[in-house]
Amino acid sequence: MSASSGANKRLITELTKLKALSTNESSVKFLLDKSPIDDPATAGRAGASTANVILGRILPTGNIYNQAAFQIEIKLPAEFPFKPPEVRFVTPIYHPNVDEQGKICVDLLNSNESWKPTTPLVDVVKAVVDLIDNPKIDHALNAEIASEYTSNRTEFDRKALASVKKNGLQRS
């Protein structure tokens, strides 16, 4: 029971920090849409088969992507914080580091050396926003978009803008 209450306390702390990213004082913006606390019947159940899921919108600042918000899903495994969360885009986004299923390759989450149990979810959100604002072509999940980004930036920008206009969410 104490392990479960400790996990719930950590989750509440993390959610409070994520909510703080919606303020004007924050350099990275994240709008919390849904959290496991919204559904107490499933939040933090010991032995729960489903992971705790957090939904929220990031507000990138980079050119093109700064015109909309993009919803991400942060899935906390039962072993969190000892195992990193899984992050994916719910909102379709035209980006070299995001695949068709919305999966994203963030170094912080994919390296045993980078992830620590003390890593806050705020750092995860900041890493996702940074990757959207500053694509890493060397770690592209979509080779075709990465090639277009480096060799035909005008066409990439056109397609990315069309995607933002079609799929982007409100920034408030």
Side-chain angles (χ1 to χ4, degrees), residues 3-18:
S4 179
S5 65
N8 284 340
K9 186 176 179 181
R10 167 74 187 261
L11 181 59
I12 291 167
T13 300
E14 293 291 346
L15 290 171
T16 301
K17 290 177 183 176
L18 286 174

Side-chain angles (χ1 to χ4, degrees), residues 133-152:
D133 287 341
N134 306 291
K136 292 189 173 144
I137 301 306
D138 294 344
H139 298 284
L141 290 179
N142 190 316
E144 188 177 312
I145 294 175
S147 174
E148 185 177 77
Y149 181 85
T150 55
S151 64
N152 190 351

Side-chain angles (χ1 to χ4, degrees), residues 17 29 69 103 122 158 170:
K17 290 177 183 176
K29 299 286 187 234
K103 292 182 182 170
V122 165
R158 185 189 69 72
Q170 291 286 342

